[in-house]
Amino acid sequence: MPRIPTSMNGTLGMSVQSYNRQTMTLLITNNLNCTVIINNMTGGNYITMNRQYIIPPRAQPL
């Protein structure tokens, strides 16, 4: 059974680093004290993620 934190400290940051007509590069920084799982991300008809991303606590930028 996963342990659910009673509180989350820190920040989860996301910014667009670059983009063009075919791709977009995001910078995701997890400064929280828990793991973040990104299951799906969509932006209209054009932005989709093709797999799940797991970002551990205090992880380096993805």
Side-chain angles (χ1 to χ4, degrees), residues 4-45:
I4 299 173
T6 56
S7 66
M8 286 192 281
N9 300 315
T11 58
L12 179 66
M14 182 171 62
S15 62
V16 176
Q17 294 300 294
S18 63
Y19 63 92
N20 60 36
R21 296 180 92 171
Q22 286 79 32
T23 64
M24 178 183 289
T25 303
L26 299 175
L27 175 67
I28 300 172
T29 307
N30 181 7
N31 288 318
L32 298 170
N33 61 344
C34 63
T35 298
V36 172
I37 300 172
I38 301 173
N39 285 315
N40 189 8
M41 182 181 300
T42 60
N45 296 328

Side-chain angles (χ1 to χ4, degrees), residues 33-62:
N33 61 344
C34 63
T35 298
V36 172
I37 300 172
I38 301 173
N39 285 315
N40 189 8
M41 182 181 300
T42 60
N45 296 328
Y46 306 104
I47 300 170
T48 59
M49 289 176 50
N50 57 2
R51 68 179 182 94
Q52 182 183 71
Y53 292 89
I54 298 173
I55 306 168
R58 312 280 187 227
Q60 295 297 315
L62 173 67

